[in-house]
Amino acid sequence: METAELELFHRSIRRATETCGDESLDAALDEIGWRDALAADRSTAVSVLFEAQGLAVADSSALDWLLAAALGEEEGQASVVLSPLRRPEAPARVSAGRCEVRGLGTKAVALNDAAVVVAETDGGSVACTVKVSALELRKVRGLDPWLGLVEVTGHLDAGATRPVDWAGAVSLGQLALGHELVGLARAMLELARRHALERVQFGRPISSFQAIRHRLAESLVALEAADGLLAAAWEDPSPVTAAMAKGLAGRSARTVARHAQQVLAGIGFTTEHPLHRYVRRTIVLDQLLGASSVLTAQLGQNVLERATLPPTFPL
Amino acid sequence: MELGAFKAAVDAWLDEQGPALACDYEGVGTLDEQMIQLRKVMKMAYDAGFMRMGWPERVGGLGGSNLLRAYLGEALTARDLVEPGIYSMPEVLAPTMIDFAPEALATEMVPKLLSGEEIWCQGFSEPGTGSNLGSLACRAERTDAGWRINGQKVWTSLAQYAQRCVLLTRTGTPESAHRGITALFVDMESPGITVRPIETMHGAKEFCEVFYDDVVVPLDRVLGEVDGGWSIAMDLLPYERSTALWHRAAYLQRRLEQLVSAAPAGTLDPRAVGEATQLLWAFRARSRATQRRLAAGETLGSETSIDKVLVATAEQAIFDLVGEGLGPEVAVRDDPESERWRAEFLYSRAATIYGGSAEIQRNIIARRLLELGDDR
């Protein structure tokens, strides 16, 4: 995108995520033409929207659109069944002509008639598109009820399947969630920063105490590290790089959540302050499509087994 | 020259000259050996033209962007031909001269630095002036004969090898703080200079105390404005956190790779290895963006404190792993390779101390980037 076009896109997306409720954000994104932007300039479309969603703790069907497109759903009218939390494995197994589904879905699952289910087989990943009515959906309240996740289970006829690149789709999803986690982290840091400047104790704003300042500085370092790695990962969004970027983004956002909660202290522990919404979402999104703890340990395991490091970014 | 063509030319040259460029000592070597190696590599790279790339023509350079310098240092470090800390000193010293020295002085002196003909040092810290640079006391008085300097510096890297020093002096009243500081370009052979190397925990005498007793420096050796030395120091510190750190990342990557091959199975926690790798990759991503901003003509500022915190964090994470996976090498083995792991493990402990401590970097981030106001 050209600079002027990019600025407009950025502004429109930010306004939509800040002002629309989660119910009307999809329509607003269609009006902005987010899906056209996704086709034209994937990294910009994804990074701008998902960071904005994090900043506003807002939610849309964009993750499903992104994954469905990556799995070859042309129209983008289907949602995608996600892995259970922690590990980014395919949510279904195929055996003896039957497809066992055990995964999660976003709110979008209930909005669409069809869902893409990906299964791991000996011959690689395969997908089938099924009617949502054939799946069992159970609404999850959990830590972040506003996110509206659903548990998805099913025992289906395997039927017609097609080979798909699940790892490639997961990589895109991980980058998207990484940007969302960075957005959440930025928002939490800003909430804590503003509180530190306003809250007066011992006759001075608590922002003047080094213990507070260093927590906030540490938070900025953590989120900028994640942001930089995400930006570089788009140059070659391989599964290794994307998992690394999401792993760091999850860990960084949790670090920021911890510092922000400590700086906000009592008020940040109440539901009268918005922080809790961000903390909840951070903990859930950190585990979606691969938890930072799992992705980080897997990266280390691979490095140790191969006794070599992943490819790095050339100058 | 474009970066792609430069990379290919450097790589081909390094392949061809590999044996001639290689170190002729095992393990970490003595500091004397490291300095001989450094000067050999710099001279060869200078004569081949590569060391002149990325520097302006008026100081003997061949032009081109800073990315060329970043790549040359990365390539030399990745092949273990130079120690990045001492190799990268011109990344701070040459820009000082280019931006602040009288033009003729820069033209005369900078080629000596880049070619390895001379070693220069930087006299900033003092016994009473560590993190608080604005409190420095080393006095320079203007006399008819020149600037007369009296005082003491400490942590002056490589002073015992240096022919020149970029020295910060107090020219204002003792209370003038950052307003009364002047930078001088000092010949280290001047009468009255005494250098005493300090033996550090990691075994090298890289840092020195330098005593100035009635040292006279010609009046035309002022860098920048009289009493304007603070702005020189401030303008230069971001250089210390850009290209030099990119070189350091190449070294850290090499050592991490060597560690994961050398550590016996089961000695390293996979999650800790994953974290260290993520940190180093994140640093490389950020530092590369910094290199590109510099190449695009942007002025670097306080945001480079984030680069510095990241590289120090990555370095200590990696060498914490060395302490685990190669614990016996670090603790009880005396062969050259083990001695090298030990020295580098120990040196990594200082990564959060030198070049502006981790606390000072966080203070800068809090004040300048987060705009948290005064800390008192």
Side-chain angles (χ1 to χ4, degrees), chain B residues 72-94:
Chain B
L72 180 62
E74 177 189 355
L76 293 172
T77 307
R79 292 179 188 232
D80 200 10
L81 297 172
V82 291
E83 198 288 312
I86 57 178
Y87 170 81
S88 300
M89 289 183 66
E91 287 298 334
V92 181
L93 292 162

Side-chain angles (χ1 to χ4, degrees), chain A residues 35-111:
Chain A
R35 279 187 264 189
D36 299 332
L38 180 66
D41 183 350
R42 197 168 59 176
S43 64
T44 302
V46 171
S47 59
V48 170
L49 172 62
F50 282 86
E51 179 158 347
Q53 286 193 174
L55 284 166
V57 70
D59 188 41
S60 70
S61 297
L63 182 65
D64 286 78
W65 295 339
L66 176 69
L67 295 177
L71 293 169
E73 263 317 304
E74 292 301 328
E75 295 304 311
Q77 293 301 315
S79 45
V80 176
V81 179
L82 306 172
S83 331
L85 289 191
R86 295 184 60 78
R87 292 177 181 281
E89 60 213 9
R93 298 278 172 277
V94 175
S95 70
R98 301 287 289 174
C99 178
E100 295 279 327
V101 186
R102 229 182 118 252
L104 281 175
T106 69
K107 251 184 318 219
V109 173
L111 302 176

Side-chain angles (χ1 to χ4, degrees), chain A residues 260-281:
Chain A
Q261 188 126 45
Q262 184 65 22
V263 169
L264 278 155
I267 188 67
F269 195 65
T270 71
T271 56
E272 291 167 25
H273 189 281
L275 181 77
H276 75 106
R277 291 282 311 276
Y278 291 89
V279 173
R280 291 167 191 277
R281 187 139 306 172

Side-chain angles (χ1 to χ4, degrees), chain A residues 193 207-208 210 213-214 216 218 228 235 248 251 293 296 299-301 308-315, chain B residues 3 7 67 71 246 253 257 270-271 274-275 278 281-282 284-285 288 359 362-363 370-375:
Chain A
R193 190 185 82 89
S207 61
S208 65
Q210 203 169 45
R213 297 163 80 86
H214 283 195
L216 298 180
E218 200 50 39
E235 284 169 29
L248 185 62
R251 188 148 53 90
S293 56
T296 306
L299 169 66
Q301 196 65 49
T308 174
L309 299 172
T312 185
F313 319 112
L315 190 66
Chain B
L3 179 61
K7 281 183 180 180
L67 295 174
Y71 184 72
W246 177 260
Q253 191 179 332
E257 187 131 38
R271 192 158 153 186
E275 283 183 12
Q278 285 169 350
W281 261 237
R284 281 191 61 119
R288 186 177 60 167
E359 287 70 27
R362 283 166 177 82
N363 287 351
L370 291 170
E371 300 179 348
L372 289 174
D374 273 346
D375 55 2

Side-chain angles (χ1 to χ4, degrees), chain A residues 278-293:
Chain A
Y278 291 89
V279 173
R280 291 167 191 277
R281 187 139 306 172
T282 297
I283 293 169
V284 176
L285 294 191
D286 173 39
Q287 296 177 72
L288 201 57
L289 294 181
S292 54
S293 56

Side-chain angles (χ1 to χ4, degrees), chain B residues 269-284:
Chain B
D269 170 14
R271 192 158 153 186
V273 172
E275 283 183 12
T277 310
Q278 285 169 350
L279 274 175
L280 182 56
W281 261 237
F283 170 72
R284 281 191 61 119

